[in-house]
Amino acid sequence: MKPDDLISAVKDPDAWRLQSSAMRRSAEALWDKFSETVLVTMGAGVTDDALFDVSLQYMQTSKLLYGLALETAFKALIVASSPQDIDLLVSMDGTDKLNDVEVRSLGVPSSKGHDLVALAEKAGIFGPAFDCILVDARGKDAFRKICRHLSEMVVWRGRYPAPMRSFDPIELDPTIPTVVIGHYMRDCPMLDAMGVEGSHTLARS
């Protein structure tokens, strides 16, 4: 991408939101495939460990894409509300010709670029603007924990067989009911509230 085009795209919240929608729909397709495959393995008492393993792979990749969809949607909000926090490294020659542009950070330090909790905080997700989705402290806490889990999916668990360095793994809190996890992940009213379209949006159109 040429430098001018990169600057325009990075500053365009609609472009970030469109990319988030694409990843959300892909995540939904894989989640549906995961559900379908699990039903096959459980149907009529059939036990197929290999097929069950494949279903878990669908789920892992689906969660990777949900995490990326959330990350990109948070960045859309940050771009719209805090464009001054887009840190660009620009290289120009003596004629003021733009030669190169690098996005150094977007709203949060580069080391936090895949940290969904940090991005959500910066985007105002836990503030009053989204109280209609996260209606109480328990809902906010559950969503934070899901964001931490999906951050790990984005950083390594959904992409690599091992992380690039050792650390204590982040697991979903077993005290969070499965229906809550599905509500905030598969159905994800938060993505709806941020204007990120999913397959259900296409079905209504």
Side-chain angles (χ1 to χ4, degrees):
M1 184 177 286
K2 294 184 180 297
D4 288 326
D5 294 336
L6 188 151
I7 292 173
S8 296
V10 167
K11 293 165 58 179
D12 182 359
D14 289 336
W16 287 93
R17 206 170 289 115
L18 184 65
Q19 192 69 26
S20 180
S21 295
M23 288 185 286
R24 182 185 187 182
R25 285 193 286 268
S26 297
E28 288 171 342
L30 281 172
W31 188 284
D32 290 342
K33 192 66 178 176
F34 155 68
S35 301
E36 173 190 323
T37 310
V38 167
L39 289 174
V40 169
T41 63
M42 295 174 64
V46 173
T47 301
D48 188 332
D49 290 340
L51 193 56
F52 189 73
D53 286 344
V54 168
S55 72
L56 291 180
Q57 291 163 8
Y58 285 136
M59 181 183 67
Q60 292 285 83
T61 306
S62 175
K63 289 198 288 186
L64 163 65
L65 289 169
Y66 276 122
L68 289 169
L70 277 173
E71 176 187 319
T72 311
F74 294 156
K75 288 177 177 177
L77 288 178
I78 294 168
V79 166
S81 64
S82 305
Q84 71 277 8
D85 291 328
I86 304 172
D87 184 11
L88 302 175
L89 180 62
V90 177
S91 173
M92 304 176 72
D93 65 21
T95 65
D96 292 336
K97 178 186 175 184
L98 193 59
N99 291 324
D100 187 58
V101 176
E102 176 186 349
V103 181
R104 300 187 66 179
S105 63
L106 204 158
V108 298
S110 58
S111 61
K112 298 282 189 180
H114 296 305
D115 184 332
L116 297 185
V117 176
L119 288 166
E121 291 277 10
K122 179 65 180 178
I125 296 301
F126 301 109
F130 291 93
D131 279 351
C132 59
I133 306 297
L134 304 177
V135 297
D136 54 24
R138 188 182 182 199
K140 288 180 170 65
D141 183 56
F143 192 66
R144 284 180 190 276
K145 288 172 179 175
I146 289 170
C147 282
R148 289 192 190 100
H149 175 69
L150 291 180
S151 293
E152 186 162 289
M153 300 302 300
V154 169
V155 170
W156 77 270
R157 194 182 287 274
R159 299 191 292 159
Y160 308 132
M164 296 298 100
R165 63 180 300 177
S166 61
F167 61 92
D168 291 333
I170 302 169
E171 301 293 347
L172 274 173
D173 189 334
T175 64
I176 302 176
T178 302
V179 66
V180 173
I181 294 171
H183 177 63
Y184 285 130
M185 198 179 299
R186 175 64 175 87
D187 300 323
C188 207
M190 184 59 70
L191 284 171
D192 290 337
M194 290 189 287
V196 176
E197 295 184 348
S199 300
H200 64 291
T201 313
L202 294 176
R204 289 199 301 264
S205 60

